[in-house]
Amino acid sequence: MTKHKVQNLRSLRDEMKAVARGERPAPADADKPSFNSVDAVVRLLTPENRELLAMIRDRKPQSVAELVQMSGRAQPNLTRTLAKMEAAGFITMKAAGGRRKAPSLTVKRIVVEIDPCSDHDRLSVA
């Protein structure tokens, strides 16, 4: 299970400045997706988007155009949603010949640990 960083924007900015000033090395997970709150993940996982993820998993569309037809969603809306899901690490977009790309699911489960007394929440993705 991969841990994703949940870090508020102020903390992230301070960390990046310290790295830029040479006061500390870049964190080992700097190239991994991160979220500024668990709420950001929950907003991304709407019922409609979860249905879309299930469609990608179960029906394995061969292109975004095929997924547009399967889902009935408008292409610009779907493209934006897929970009957000890819940035979050939930899917990858694989070359499918020519300019076409096909979405592929990269997660099976997301586990959220919420610390009710602080902002030190944890997010794990399997």
Side-chain angles (χ1 to χ4, degrees):
M1 195 170 281
T2 304
K3 298 277 187 192
H4 280 56
K5 187 185 290 186
V6 178
Q7 183 177 27
N8 66 43
L9 293 176
R10 170 179 255 154
S11 172
L12 177 61
R13 184 186 67 231
D14 292 346
E15 181 180 271
M16 290 174 69
K17 284 182 176 181
V19 170
R21 288 189 300 261
E23 296 170 358
R24 62 171 288 188
D29 59 358
D31 64 335
K32 304 286 188 259
S34 66
F35 301 93
N36 64 351
S37 70
V38 170
D39 187 49
V41 177
V42 172
R43 282 193 314 267
L44 184 58
L45 293 173
T46 64
E48 295 82 11
N49 287 350
R50 292 173 74 180
E51 184 179 317
L52 187 64
L53 289 170
M55 198 175 296
I56 293 168
R57 178 195 63 203
D58 299 338
R59 299 177 67 186
K60 298 179 181 27
Q62 298 303 304
S63 67
V64 173
E66 187 176 328
L67 185 57
V68 165
Q69 289 182 330
M70 287 178 188
S71 67
R73 291 172 74 162
Q75 190 272 331
N77 171 280
L78 182 65
T79 300
R80 275 191 307 274
T81 299
L82 292 174
K84 290 175 185 176
M85 289 183 175
E86 185 176 30
F90 298 163
I91 65 167
T92 58
M93 298 298 289
K94 298 181 179 180
R99 293 179 42 199
R100 294 182 317 141
K101 290 189 174 186
S104 177
L105 197 64
T106 59
V107 298
K108 293 181 182 175
R109 183 175 31 153
I110 299 169
V111 177
V112 178
E113 297 175 35
I114 298 174
D115 182 342
C117 301
S118 73
D119 63 355
H120 299 294
D121 300 328
R122 298 194 191 292
L123 180 71
S124 302
V125 178

